Amino acid sequence: MTLNLENLNPKLYRKCEEREVSKYEEDDDIVDEFDSREVFDLIRNLNDPEHPLTLEELNVIEQKYIEVDNKKNEVQVMFTPTIPHCSMATLIGLSLQVRLLRTLPPRFKIEVKVSPGTHESEHAINKQLADKERVAAALENTSLIQVINQCIDVEE
Amino acid sequence: MGQLELVDTLSGHSGRVWDVSWHPSGTLLSSCGEDKTIRLWGREGTRWALKTILTDGHQRTVRESAWSPCGNYLASASFDATTAIWDRKSGQLECIATLEGHENEVKSVSWSRSGQLLATCSRDKSVWVWEVGEDDEYECAAVINAHTQDVKKVSWHPHVDLLASASYDNTIKLFREDPADNDWSCVATLASHESTVWSLSFDRSGSRLVSCSDDKTIKIWKEYLPGNSEGVVTPGNESVWKCVCTLAGYHGRTIYDVCWCHQTDLIATACGDDAIRIFKEATGSDPNEPIFDLVETVHCAHSQDVNSIQWNPTTPGVLASASDDGLVKIWNFKA
C-alpha cells in the first residue's frame, strides 16, 4: 500500500441500511432472481486500496449504478473514482470484477465501468477492464492478486 | 440456409479453453487453456477421444497452439512469455525448443506456408518472426514494433510469406521481408475497426481477409494490386487493402475469433454472446462490394463465451469450438 495518499481527505458517505430479508425470500420453493441490491451487497464492503474505508463509504459504488438483467445474464456495475486522476481506478475495477466473478454464477456476463465523466482516463480504463484476456493475465500475477485479495477480503 | 449439428462435446480441461487447432490431416485436434495444458483429441469412428495431455511445457495459461504445415510440429504460445515447440516425429510429442524474448504474455503463434517461418506476438506490442533452421534451431529474424498496443493475433498468408497481425490498437498490419536488406517492415495498416481486433483469417486465395473485433462487427478486406482495373491508387507500388464489407448488427458482444474455410468459403465466428454464426457470400455479389448472408446462428452453442473457432482442413463442414465453459465442441454444418 502506498503511503503517499492521493486523496488525503476523502468525503465520507453514510452507509445504507441492512437489507431486510423477507419470508418470501426464505422460501426455497420460490425462484428468487438476482437484483441490483443483492449485487450491491456483494461489493459494498470491499476495501478501498488506500483508506481503511469501504467502497460504499467512499461512494465509489452506489446501488443506483448497478444494473442486472436476469434474462440476458448481464450485470453492469459503474463505479466512481474519488478523484478524476485516481491511479487506483483500474485496481478498484479489477477488485470489483474479481469479487463478482467469484460470487455470481458463471452464466453472468460481468461488465465493470467507470461512471461517465468521472475519470480522465475513463475510456482506457474501461477498455482494459472489458478485455477478458488482459484481466485473466493480470489475475495470474501473484503480487497483483494479493493486493486484490486484500481489497475483497470482506466479512460474509 | 443450413444447419449446424453438434457431433461431440470434449470435456477435460479445467477452466477456460482459449483455443482449438486442427492438425493438417484433419484427424487430430489440439486444445489449450487456463489449466496450462495442451490436450490432443483424435477421431475414433464418429466420436473424438483424448489422446495425450501435455502438461510440462508452460508455467501459465496456454493461449494458443498451432500445427506446422507438415504436421510434425506443434507450437504453443503462453502467458509465461515463451513459445514452446513440440515434435511428434518419435510418435509422442516432445518439447524440443522454448522460444524466449517477449517481455510478457505471448498471445498468438502462426507457421508460414513453407513451415520455415514462425511468427509470435505479445502484450509487449511486438511481433517476432523466427526462422526455422536445420537441427530444430530457431533464430529470431525480426522484432517488429509497428503496433502501439497489445498484439492479439498473428496469421500467415496461405501462399506467400506475408504476415498479418491484429491488435488492441484497433488496427491490422501486414508485414513482409524486403529482399534487398532482409528487413521485415509494415507494408499496410488496415484501419476501420473501432475497438480491439481479436482475430483475422485469410480466404483460400489470400487476396481477401476477414477480421473480427470488440466493436461487434466483422469486416472483409480486399487486396488491390498495383495497376488494378478498379483504379485504386497504390502508393509506393504496394498493394492496398480496402475494407469492402462490414457485417454489423449480427453479434451481441465481442467477437473473439473468425475462420474463413478454404474448402467451402464459409465464414464462422466465435462470440462473447455464447453463439456461433456462419456467413456465406451471396452468389454473384460484386467483388468490390460483396454481400454476405447469415446462414446459421446457434444460440447457446456454449454456456459461456466462445473463444475460438476453426474449420477442419480436410472434411468440409466440420468445425471445432472452444469456450470459457471449459468445453471443446465438434460440429457439422450441412448446407
Side-chain angles (χ1 to χ4, degrees):
Chain A
M1 293 290 142
T2 172
L3 289 174
N4 299 317
L5 297 181
E6 277 183 6
N7 187 358
L8 283 174
N9 239 334
K11 192 175 168 201
L12 281 185
Y13 293 79
R14 189 204 295 259
K15 292 205 227 179
C16 74
E17 301 293 319
E18 289 301 320
R19 185 161 58 119
E20 279 183 43
V21 177
S22 66
K23 284 211 176 94
Y24 178 80
E25 284 173 297
E26 283 175 343
D27 185 343
D28 286 341
D29 292 333
I30 292 170
V31 179
D32 180 21
E33 300 228 295
F34 281 89
D35 58 28
S36 61
R37 178 58 207 245
E38 261 173 295
V39 173
F40 181 66
D41 284 346
L42 291 173
I43 54 179
R44 62 189 290 206
N45 292 324
L46 261 61
N47 304 304
D48 181 77
E50 289 191 314
H51 299 281
L53 295 165
T54 67
L55 295 185
E56 180 189 16
E57 288 169 313
L58 291 167
N59 216 37
V60 171
I61 55 158
E62 291 175 79
Q63 189 185 337
K64 66 179 176 189
Y65 295 134
I66 297 173
E67 278 175 37
V68 180
D69 186 328
N70 282 283
K71 274 214 184 80
K72 289 181 167 173
N73 293 324
E74 289 175 347
V75 172
Q76 193 192 64
V77 174
M78 290 210 275
F79 69 102
T80 310
T82 52
I83 41 174
H85 52 270
C86 179
S87 64
M88 297 288 167
T90 310
L91 178 60
I92 291 171
L94 272 176
S95 303
L96 287 165
Q97 245 175 0
V98 173
R99 173 71 179 161
L100 293 172
L101 281 170
R102 288 185 185 168
T103 49
L104 288 171
R107 66 183 166 95
F108 278 109
K109 312 278 183 189
I110 298 158
E111 248 179 288
V112 175
K113 288 178 159 178
V114 175
S115 305
T118 63
H119 198 284
E120 287 161 359
S121 313
E122 175 188 329
H123 179 71
I125 293 169
N126 287 346
K127 188 169 183 180
Q128 195 160 345
L129 289 173
D131 184 323
K132 69 171 186 179
E133 185 185 59
R134 288 167 69 126
V135 169
L139 299 186
E140 287 186 1
N141 176 331
T142 44
S143 50
L144 180 62
I145 200 71
Q146 273 176 0
V147 177
I148 290 172
N149 281 338
Q150 281 165 14
C151 292
I152 65 175
D153 181 20
V154 297
E155 283 175 36
E156 298 291 342
Chain B
M1 284 294 147
Q3 207 180 359
L4 192 66
E5 286 169 3
L6 182 65
V7 174
D8 211 343
T9 299
L10 314 179
S11 60
H13 277 288
S14 56
R16 158 187 290 160
V17 190
W18 273 116
D19 185 65
V20 279
S21 176
W22 289 105
H23 186 268
S25 69
T27 57
L28 198 61
L29 181 77
S30 66
S31 63
C32 59
E34 190 181 3
D35 64 8
K36 310 180 183 72
T37 71
I38 301 160
R39 281 162 200 258
L40 300 183
W41 313 85
R43 210 169 100 175
E44 286 181 359
T46 54
R47 307 277 301 185
W48 292 80
L50 180 68
K51 296 288 179 191
T52 314
I53 308 177
L54 306 175
T55 52
D56 49 357
H58 293 289
Q59 310 300 312
R60 290 180 57 186
T61 285
V62 186
R63 177 64 182 86
E64 192 174 280
S65 63
W67 292 97
S68 63
C70 67
N72 284 330
Y73 301 95
L74 181 72
S76 56
S78 167
F79 283 2
D80 70 10
T82 71
T83 305
I85 309 293
W86 308 79
D87 182 349
R88 74 191 280 267
K89 285 201 292 274
S90 70
Q92 286 191 327
L93 278 150
E94 281 176 82
C95 182
I96 53 158
T98 303
L99 313 185
E100 295 175 355
H102 280 295
E103 280 170 36
N104 33 47
E105 297 94 81
V106 185
K107 299 289 179 74
S108 177
V109 59
S110 175
W111 298 86
S112 70
R113 186 65 229 155
S114 65
Q116 294 303 299
L117 297 168
L118 190 74
T120 56
C121 65
S122 161
R123 190 167 66 88
D124 69 12
K125 305 170 189 173
S126 67
V127 172
W128 290 43
V129 177
W130 307 80
E131 266 170 12
V132 185
E134 283 172 34
D135 305 324
D136 299 322
E137 277 176 28
Y138 289 76
E139 200 177 321
C140 175
V143 175
I144 312 164
N145 289 298
H147 282 291
T148 59
Q149 292 286 344
D150 188 358
V151 189
K152 298 295 194 186
K153 186 86 176 182
V154 278
S155 187
W156 288 96
H157 188 279
H159 309 300
V160 297
D161 288 343
L162 179 74
L163 178 65
S165 62
S167 167
Y168 189 87
D169 70 12
N170 307 355
T171 70
I172 297 156
K173 285 180 185 280
L174 301 178
F175 309 102
R176 214 181 45 212
E177 189 180 23
D178 184 343
D181 55 9
N182 294 348
D183 258 359
W184 284 80
S185 58
C186 176
V187 291
T189 298
L190 284 54
S192 180
H193 279 297
E194 287 165 8
S195 190
T196 303
V197 188
W198 278 96
S199 189
L200 59 89
S201 179
F202 283 98
D203 76 348
R204 73 167 103 184
S205 73
S207 64
R208 293 193 295 179
L209 66 86
V210 59
S211 57
C212 65
S213 164
D214 180 51
D215 69 11
K216 302 174 191 167
T217 70
I218 63 174
K219 287 178 187 279
I220 312 288
W221 307 78
K222 178 174 163 26
E223 180 182 25
Y224 289 88
L225 296 162
N228 63 81
S229 59
E230 289 87 355
V232 174
V233 182
T234 53
N237 234 19
E238 283 289 349
S239 286
V240 165
W241 290 74
K242 277 182 59 169
C243 176
V244 290
C245 176
T246 298
L247 294 165
Y250 294 105
H251 298 84
R253 305 186 78 87
T254 303
I255 310 158
Y256 289 111
D257 199 16
V258 64
C259 185
W260 202 330
C261 183
H262 288 188
Q263 300 177 90
T264 62
D265 300 323
L266 296 166
I267 293 172
T269 62
C271 186
D273 65 8
D274 309 347
I276 292 173
R277 292 175 179 83
I278 295 175
F279 296 87
K280 186 177 190 288
E281 187 169 7
T283 39
S285 80
D286 179 353
N288 297 304
E289 276 182 337
I291 294 164
F292 286 80
D293 296 317
L294 178 69
V295 290
E296 171 71 318
T297 305
V298 179
H299 294 288
C300 308
H302 284 271
S303 64
Q304 294 183 52
D305 295 6
V306 191
N307 293 323
S308 174
I309 194 116
Q310 205 172 62
W311 291 104
N312 185 296
T314 57
T315 315
V318 171
L319 193 63
S321 63
S323 162
D324 278 358
D325 67 12
L327 300 175
V328 171
K329 290 187 179 183
I330 312 285
W331 308 82
N332 190 18
F333 182 73
K334 286 185 183 150

